[in-house]
Amino acid sequence: MDHKNYLSNNMTLNQLMKITGSVSLVTMLALTQRGILQAEEVTAPTTNRVNLEPISVNYNDTAAIAKVAKTILKDHVNLLSEFKMVESSQYRTVYSLEDYIVSVYYEANSGLGVKDVKLTIETKFTHERPDDQKIIALNDQSECEVVEGTVNVYNVKINVIDTVAPVISLSESSVTIDDTDSFDINNYISVSDNVDGAIGYTVDGALETSDDKYKAGTYTFTISAVDSSGNASSSQMSVTVNKTEPEPVVVSTSSLYYGSNPDRSNYAGADVLVSAAYAQLGRRQDCTMLVTNALAAAGINFHGWPAGYFSLGYTVSGSEARPGDLIYYDNAGAGVPHIALYIGNGMAIHGGWQGSTKIAPAYVGSGPVFIRVTRG
């Protein structure tokens, strides 16, 4: 080596910048913290690089950069020898290669594209010596002997690329639900990328519905994600929907009226029915469960198909309808019978309405038939 310049024990950062040429502040701080600045002599200033064309390196893959050392040390090491990481921090990764220590000064997460990094090579014996007993040698030769007591420093030109696809994580790959359950596949998915972090995704697939319930069967969903570099990944999740049978119809009220000349006084539990219906807003359930739950709050135990609720009272006209009346539809718009609960002002609470329990107009589909619930 052609030693021409000498470093004092108090060399400033600007002085070292003149010697090392193009180097990042992060790298220099890392070198400073390492203590390498306290050296005796160095080679002439240079801004040349070991490689003229940048080597492609995957994002944060310092091992690929370290492999340049095998070219430099090809006459001194077995090219099949393994690199072993011995130390890693945000700005430096250290590897062991036979009798040598290879350090890569690299700003982690610094983005993609062409950039320069620093590579140092020293013997293991030199690595163990106090820093003030080491010589820093700036070198642009692709082949150079590394002698005891010397830390050879090289500029390496790299092109940081991203070839790693996003990682799609599923909390469960297979799920079983009942046809009356609520289901949101997004609750099972998270997607992350080594460069972009958390990223969006698409889902191909859906559960079929019928009569405000999911159709029984097994469904396959495909989740796909693409990062900013165009790397794509996909994963699949299966959902099995079990069919549930309606509960047996049980009427536990002993004084319901079934005659043709009913007392048209308002049912005393109407307010309870309305309050219980409001309490169920947002719940995913079919129309019959909405009404059944509201009736249960008023002390009436009944569950059945929509037409079965006629047995709980008598019909009234739209002009006579009051909050708390039940509403039957031959067809509420989905082609099947429906039951709801009237809350007044032409509005009703519907179960299984566009996926959940919601407030919607009472006059829909085939039109409402109002049922006044009665007790003697």
Side-chain angles (χ1 to χ4, degrees), residues 53-67:
E53 294 299 323
I55 60 172
S56 292
V57 176
N58 255 314
Y59 188 76
N60 282 347
D61 183 9
T62 55
I65 306 171
K67 289 179 180 178

Side-chain angles (χ1 to χ4, degrees), residues 43-367:
T43 60
T46 177
T47 57
N48 295 334
R49 303 181 182 90
V50 173
N51 56 318
L52 296 179
E53 294 299 323
I55 60 172
S56 292
V57 176
N58 255 314
Y59 188 76
N60 282 347
D61 183 9
T62 55
I65 306 171
K67 289 179 180 178
V68 174
K70 286 189 175 181
T71 302
I72 298 172
L73 297 169
K74 67 179 183 178
D75 294 332
H76 306 283
V77 299
N78 185 335
L79 297 182
L80 298 179
S81 294
E82 179 186 4
F83 274 100
K84 296 181 180 179
M85 182 186 296
V86 295
E87 182 183 336
S88 180
S89 66
Q90 185 178 2
Y91 303 123
R92 184 181 69 155
T93 307
V94 181
Y95 297 89
S96 171
L97 175 63
E98 293 187 6
D99 295 329
Y100 299 91
I101 294 296
V102 179
S103 300
V104 177
Y105 292 88
Y106 178 81
E107 187 174 355
N109 306 319
S110 60
L112 308 178
V114 177
K115 56 196 66 186
D116 289 328
V117 298
K118 292 293 182 186
L119 181 74
T120 66
I121 304 176
E122 59 187 314
T123 65
K124 289 183 177 179
F125 176 78
T126 302
H127 186 68
E128 298 299 325
R129 294 176 63 172
D131 292 330
D132 58 1
Q133 296 180 21
K134 297 179 182 181
I135 298 173
I136 298 177
L138 304 178
N139 206 308
D140 63 349
Q141 302 300 313
S142 60
E143 301 176 22
C144 181
E145 182 179 0
V146 179
V147 299
E148 296 290 356
T150 301
V151 180
N152 282 24
V153 182
Y154 302 87
N155 290 309
V156 179
K157 188 175 184 180
I158 64 172
N159 180 27
V160 182
I161 60 176
D162 175 25
T163 62
V164 180
V167 176
I168 299 175
S169 300
L170 302 177
S171 59
E172 296 183 59
S173 60
S174 180
V175 177
T176 300
I177 63 173
D178 289 336
D179 56 2
T180 57
D181 289 343
S182 61
F183 175 75
D184 185 352
I185 193 171
N186 297 298
N187 294 333
Y188 299 85
I189 304 171
S190 64
V191 180
S192 62
D193 183 69
N194 63 323
V195 175
D196 301 328
I199 63 174
Y201 55 88
T202 60
V203 178
D204 183 17
L207 300 182
E208 296 181 33
T209 58
S210 176
D211 193 21
D212 303 321
K213 297 181 181 180
Y214 293 126
K215 286 186 178 180
T218 298
Y219 301 81
T220 299
F221 292 81
T222 300
I223 302 95
S224 303
V226 181
D227 66 18
S228 60
S229 296
N231 302 303
S233 60
S234 64
S235 186
Q236 289 188 327
M237 176 179 176
S238 66
V239 179
T240 299
V241 178
N242 291 331
K243 183 178 180 180
T244 57
E245 298 297 332
E247 297 179 7
V249 175
V250 178
V251 180
S252 61
T253 55
S254 59
S255 56
L256 292 177
Y257 181 81
Y258 303 105
S260 59
N261 295 304
D263 176 5
R264 299 262 170 170
S265 61
N266 191 23
Y267 166 49
D271 291 343
V272 176
L273 296 181
V274 172
S275 297
Y278 269 104
Q280 298 176 67
L281 287 175
R283 184 181 302 178
R284 188 177 184 87
Q285 60 188 350
D286 69 12
C287 59
T288 60
M289 284 308 302
L290 160 71
V291 177
T292 290
N293 291 334
L295 290 168
I300 302 174
N301 185 11
F302 181 91
H303 187 70
W305 297 106
Y309 291 85
F310 278 109
S311 65
L312 300 184
Y314 57 89
T315 61
V316 295
S317 66
S319 61
E320 295 178 291
R322 302 171 181 173
D325 289 341
L326 308 184
I327 310 175
Y328 172 81
Y329 304 83
D330 282 331
N331 175 8
V336 293
H338 179 67
I339 192 79
L341 194 140
Y342 189 58
I343 57 174
N345 297 320
M347 305 299 289
I349 295 179
H350 299 261
W353 196 259
Q354 298 177 345
S356 66
T357 301
K358 298 180 179 179
I359 296 176
Y363 289 83
V364 295
S366 60

